[in-house]
Amino acid sequence: MKMSDASFNISLAAPTAVSAARDTRAASASDDAVLATTQGRLADPFAFLGPHRSGDVIEVRSYQPGAIAVRLQTKNGCHALEQIADTGVFVGTLSKDANEIPSYTLQTDWPHADGDTTTFETEDPYVFGLLLGELDLHLIAEGRHRELGRCLGALPMTIDGVAGTRFAVWAPNAQRVSVVGDFNAWDGRRHPMRLRAPAGVWEIFIPRLMPGERYKYELLDAHGRVLPLKADPVARATELPPSTASVIAPATPFRWSDEAWMKTRTELPSLSAPLSIYEVHAGSWLRVPEEEGRSLDWHELGDRLIPYALEMGFTHLEFLPIMEHPFAGSWGYQPLSQFAPSARFGTPAAFANFVDRCHNAGLGVILDWVPAHFPSDAHGLAHFDGSALYEHADPREGFHQDWNTLIYNLGRNEVRGFLIASALEWLEHFHVDGLRVDAVASMLYRDYSRKEGEWVPNIHGGRENLESVAFLKELNDTIAARCPGALMIAEESTAWPGVTAPVKNDGLGFTYKWNMGWMHDTLRYIGHDPIHRRHHHHDMTFGMVYAYSEHFVLPISHDEVVHGKGSLYGKMPGDDWQKLANLRAYLGFMWTHPGKKLLFMGCEFGQLGEWNHDASPEWHLLDDPRHRGAQRLVRDLNRLYVEEPALHESDGEPAGFRWLVGDDAAHSVYAFLRLSANAAPMLIVVNMTPVPRSGYRIGLPDLSNASIDTATSDVREAPAWEEVLNTDAAVYGGSNLGNEGRVIVTDQPAHGHSHSVVLTLPPLSTLVFRKHA
């Protein structure tokens, strides 16, 4: 595939057919140079291979081990090269007294086992001059090259009219780096690269090498030892696991049709917009039992998952990491290809098409992204050039004990730049709408999950990881500047201050933070038998103490339904009816509580067993009307949440919430208001016991405005409140006890207010009322 260099946002060094600087300094075909070539220890291959002046002639040298013959083809005819003593080094004279070296190709005859030969013709890789520009190298060294995916790695392009692929890789401590693949029999002696010191980047252009070819890098470390073959850290495509080679990806840009979505995303005030996320593991959302349980590809997911998520009313899909990862059992949380979508689900273009289809359907896409650690597989980043390059050398800083993985050295410019460029690859080149950054807490603390003596303090003697803090600030500042409207979501489980505060205010700069405290408290509460819940009443109310300290997402994620924790349904006490009623009441409480929403697949219909990544969710349960009812409830909760501004637009404002009943531990009842500046208020009442309660009176405030009053944050009563959702309704599998659609406000005081309503509270239920206009 031919592609103009100008289509890349990089600075090329304007390569020429031959570097004139090689004329007099080129090494001669000495015994030492020939031996170094055959041993794969040639320090500077461009100084020996290719065309060089030798006295008054131009000598061409090519290393083709195992070849029968090599010829030079010029416009003036063929010139045979002579092999030096069966070494595979072929040498010949191209011309005499030429001011410029004429263009030529190499014709190589290769033997077959049956005695036949094959002739392969190509341009000489060692004709081409410098490839990367000085600006590229400078930005890489500074950690500020934001287009690494279009600079390093394997990029098909055309140079001097020759189509091929340019390779570049950062390996500053290697003695030699070569590109290997099927095209050169995986022989590291065949295509050694040029070192661009002091940036530590190696480069080569291999003519006529096209997209789809497999490749890796062969490296010699600083001591001359051959390392295990390494996949490309900046590969944009990979082999299907368990194979581990990188693949040359096409350079043709994807043709997007989501301009309207991207424009709206930039303009949308996300903090006041509804955000309801359906968390999905792409490999197990829907397997195909008729085909040995295979996963769906991106095209099939587009056909099945997009309509399902839209029908369920979710605003966004969030995928567990889809970056290529060697071990499927890590669910993607141990990635090794930070720039390449996993080949398990199709090509990079197929993933781009899936995102495009989502956007055109009105559905956002968020990806989990892992800058906290990486696996130690021999073909990956670990000791990439024989040194601790991407990781810390000291295991007290560079080894994650919890996951048996390595930790990125974020104090190194090039590593920081590598990760920020990865984030931008997904947001800019794949148009994803946000990243959920995994394991942020493990990045922030040097003593995370470590005992005394197992960690290294920072320069001030403290436990804070200053390098990680600086990285996260730079990451979020960069994304805010380059990708306005993109969501950055932190999985952060501690009380680190200012996770979602702006960087300019010394915050980390995330858009949202997962509210792990709310999740743990409320799940602990619903795990208790209702008769004991009165003793744990505060677990459901405590989240409001700090609800406005950050911008929160309320997550019921995959982490809560694996590793023996059971399913969300399984956490509920009681018989099957009570379990499902508890589930419905809990989801009703979650969807009406301040904070954006996230629910893992299978939880929406009450899956019985915990999640198994090797199997689909228990979709057959939808044949049971009770589980189908739970699914319908989630759909209706999403629609109500999106349609009612009071339920989403003031998530980050204290004026948008008012407790009415927060202390009725004896009955396990909660009541609160959700308020909007310009829309009807909502009254939510939750009964977390299986006891139906009639005549339950709740006081209502009495002020002049039925919406948020910026001065008083209060609400005037209305003649009636309409019951717009009841989790105990028969359509959801409940007992259908309720308030016949509306309740009338009276002037009888209650709970310190001058007016009140009298309600019937169904067992284990959440009721939602809208103030009647």
Side-chain angles (χ1 to χ4, degrees):
M1 178 174 297
K2 293 187 178 181
M3 186 169 184
S4 168
D5 302 341
S7 64
F8 292 94
N9 186 23
I10 57 177
S11 57
L12 289 173
T16 57
V18 173
S19 172
R22 288 194 262 160
D23 282 356
T24 59
R25 293 195 296 270
S28 65
S30 65
D31 291 344
D32 289 344
V34 171
L35 182 61
T37 301
T38 60
Q39 292 180 343
R41 301 183 184 279
L42 196 59
D44 184 359
F46 281 80
F48 177 68
L49 299 174
H52 300 274
R53 288 197 177 278
S54 179
D56 62 349
V57 299
I58 295 173
E59 187 174 274
V60 175
R61 307 171 197 130
S62 180
Y63 183 56
Q64 307 289 348
I68 297 173
V70 179
R71 295 175 299 278
L72 290 178
Q73 177 68 54
T74 70
K75 64 181 181 180
N76 296 321
C78 253
H79 307 266
L81 272 64
E82 181 180 354
Q83 185 173 190
I84 301 176
D86 296 325
T87 60
V89 176
F90 290 81
V91 180
T93 298
L94 182 62
S95 63
K96 296 183 179 182
D97 300 325
N99 293 323
E100 293 184 1
I101 297 175
S103 62
Y104 64 88
T105 58
L106 294 170
Q107 294 180 348
T108 306
D109 296 338
W110 297 98
H112 286 254
D114 60 6
D116 288 340
T117 61
T118 297
T119 299
F120 180 73
E121 183 172 10
T122 184
E123 289 72 19
D124 189 344
Y126 298 97
V127 162
F128 297 88
L130 301 180
L131 302 172
L132 292 178
E134 292 300 324
L135 178 59
D136 284 313
L137 299 174
H138 174 75
L139 293 174
I140 290 170
E142 283 198 339
R144 294 191 300 111
H145 202 305
R146 304 310 188 208
E147 291 278 347
L148 280 186
R150 303 301 178 273
C151 174
L152 300 182
L155 293 173
M157 60 176 59
T158 298
I159 298 178
D160 289 348
V162 179
T165 298
R166 190 195 71 190
F167 296 86
V169 62
W170 178 58
N173 301 305
Q175 279 192 8
R176 187 258 296 167
V177 181
S178 300
V179 184
V180 295
D182 298 318
F183 54 89
N184 63 11
W186 300 88
D187 187 341
R189 302 171 299 171
R190 294 272 300 277
H191 288 99
M193 306 171 77
R194 172 198 287 117
L195 174 62
R196 300 295 303 278
V201 173
W202 300 76
E203 64 179 16
I204 192 172
F205 175 72
I206 303 181
R208 306 195 187 191
L209 196 58
M210 295 290 105
E213 288 278 359
R214 303 186 305 155
Y215 72 98
K216 284 187 177 181
Y217 295 113
E218 182 182 275
L219 297 92
L220 268 61
D221 69 11
H223 305 288
R225 294 175 296 217
V226 179
L227 300 174
L229 295 183
K230 296 288 188 177
D232 190 343
V234 190
R236 294 182 296 121
T238 65
E239 262 192 306
L240 180 66
S243 298
T244 58
S246 303
V247 173
I248 301 173
T252 306
F254 181 77
R255 293 186 177 180
W256 295 94
S257 62
D258 62 349
E259 294 83 2
W261 171 275
M262 297 297 286
K263 184 176 186 296
T264 301
R265 187 184 86 180
T266 300
E267 299 170 348
L268 187 68
S270 64
L271 294 177
S272 61
L275 178 64
S276 182
I277 302 167
Y278 187 47
E279 189 188 32
V280 172
H281 178 249
S284 62
W285 180 75
L286 184 63
R287 290 185 176 268
V288 184
E290 298 84 1
E291 300 180 36
E292 300 181 345
R294 72 166 177 85
S295 302
L296 301 184
D297 61 26
W298 288 120
H299 178 76
E300 294 166 318
L301 284 165
D303 290 343
R304 304 292 295 274
L305 176 57
I306 294 174
Y308 179 76
L310 290 172
E311 171 62 21
M312 290 298 295
F314 290 100
T315 65
H316 288 69
L317 294 170
E318 179 177 323
F319 287 100
L320 277 60
I322 63 158
M323 300 79 192
E324 191 62 271
H325 48 284
F327 176 47
S330 77
W331 314 329
Y333 289 101
Q334 295 189 10
L336 273 181
S337 291
Q338 289 281 23
F339 291 74
S342 175
R344 293 172 175 87
F345 314 114
T347 65
F351 173 65
N353 179 257
F354 174 85
V355 175
D356 199 49
R357 291 176 66 182
C358 284
H359 287 173
N360 282 297
L363 193 62
V365 179
I366 299 169
L367 301 182
D368 281 10
W369 182 66
V370 188
H373 60 108
F374 61 92
S376 58
D377 297 60
H379 73 280
L381 301 179
H383 279 75
F384 185 79
D385 63 0
S387 67
L389 189 63
Y390 287 89
E391 69 272 36
H392 293 273
D394 189 335
R396 294 176 299 169
E397 297 182 278
F399 182 73
H400 248 309
Q401 299 175 121
D402 289 358
W403 303 303
N404 290 321
T405 52
L406 301 175
I407 300 172
Y408 287 105
N409 180 358
L410 296 175
R412 186 158 195 166
N413 291 344
E414 296 91 342
V415 175
R416 265 195 333 274
F418 168 78
L419 288 171
I420 292 174
S422 164
L424 291 170
E425 182 79 5
W426 303 103
L427 294 168
E428 293 183 337
H429 294 284
F430 285 109
H431 285 203
V432 303
D433 302 289
L435 300 175
R436 193 219 67 159
V437 182
D438 180 66
V440 170
S442 76
M443 301 174 69
L444 293 176
Y445 301 96
R446 286 176 164 266
D447 64 345
Y448 181 86
S449 197
R450 295 179 187 272
K451 300 175 183 177
E452 187 175 352
E454 295 179 345
W455 58 283
V456 179
N458 63 34
I459 58 173
H460 305 299
R463 60 195 288 255
E464 299 81 7
N465 192 320
L466 304 179
E467 294 80 8
S468 289
V469 171
F471 162 73
L472 292 171
K473 289 181 176 182
E474 183 181 1
L475 168 73
N476 287 321
D477 252 358
T478 302
I479 288 171
R482 293 179 62 113
C483 310
L487 304 176
M488 292 298 291
I489 305 171
E491 184 207 19
E492 204 285 308
S493 56
T494 75
W496 185 280
V499 172
T500 59
V503 172
K504 66 181 180 181
N505 295 340
D506 202 30
L508 296 183
F510 285 96
T511 321
Y512 294 107
K513 169 181 171 173
W514 272 17
N515 195 336
M516 311 293 280
W518 177 92
M519 178 270 296
H520 285 302
D521 289 347
T522 59
L523 289 183
R524 181 172 59 243
Y525 177 87
I526 64 168
H528 293 295
D529 189 286
I531 198 171
H532 300 303
R533 286 177 176 169
R534 65 179 65 192
H535 305 298
H536 306 278
H537 195 73
H538 68 283
D539 280 345
M540 295 285 272
T541 63
F542 185 67
M544 289 309 303
V545 173
Y546 58 87
Y548 305 109
S549 61
E550 302 278 6
H551 299 296
F552 283 120
V553 171
L554 309 182
I556 300 299
S557 74
H558 67 282
D559 277 332
E560 310 319 312
V561 294
V562 290
H563 299 321
K565 297 178 184 177
S567 65
L568 186 58
Y569 165 94
K571 299 178 193 298
M572 309 293 168
D575 58 20
D576 184 63
W577 190 93
Q578 289 197 18
K579 284 179 180 291
L580 283 168
N582 264 294
L583 174 68
R584 296 193 303 269
Y586 178 74
L587 292 174
F589 174 76
M590 174 181 173
W591 251 256
T592 54
H593 191 284
K596 309 308 181 185
K597 324 301 176 190
L598 179 141
L599 191 67
F600 185 58
M601 63 185 198
C603 295
E604 74 271 23
F605 58 81
Q607 175 163 314
L608 304 183
E610 71 177 26
W611 172 50
N612 173 9
H613 69 272
D614 288 324
S616 297
E618 297 166 349
W619 294 109
H620 63 276
L621 291 174
L622 292 176
D623 293 334
D624 184 331
R626 298 169 299 175
H627 290 273
R628 196 162 61 248
Q631 182 195 48
R632 179 172 179 173
L633 172 67
V634 173
R635 182 198 68 183
D636 290 351
L637 283 169
N638 271 327
R639 291 178 178 176
L640 187 68
Y641 166 70
V642 170
E643 292 168 0
E644 296 292 342
L647 294 179
H648 63 254
E649 73 175 18
S650 298
D651 277 331
E653 302 173 17
F657 179 90
R658 170 70 62 87
W659 277 118
L660 297 178
V661 178
D663 58 356
D664 189 0
H667 299 104
S668 298
V669 171
Y670 307 85
F672 52 90
L673 291 169
R674 295 299 308 277
L675 307 169
S676 166
N678 300 297
M682 310 295 287
L683 168 65
I684 294 90
V685 186
V686 183
N687 175 18
M688 293 305 291
T689 70
V691 179
R693 305 190 186 280
S694 60
Y696 194 94
R697 186 175 296 277
I698 295 177
L700 291 173
D702 179 12
L703 283 176
S704 60
N705 195 339
S707 58
I708 294 178
D709 183 298
T710 56
T712 62
S713 185
D714 214 335
V715 171
R716 171 175 286 277
E717 65 14 271
W721 289 72
E722 179 185 1
E723 187 178 79
V724 294
L725 189 136
N726 177 353
T727 66
D728 188 55
V731 292
Y732 304 138
S735 62
N736 215 33
L737 188 65
N739 296 275
E740 298 182 350
R742 66 187 307 186
V743 292
I744 304 298
V745 178
T746 71
D747 58 5
Q748 181 171 338
H751 300 112
H753 300 296
S754 59
H755 293 73
S756 61
V757 291
V758 176
L759 305 177
T760 296
L761 306 185
L764 296 170
S765 65
T766 294
L767 303 176
V768 183
F769 299 87
R770 180 199 299 114
K771 185 181 177 184
H772 190 68

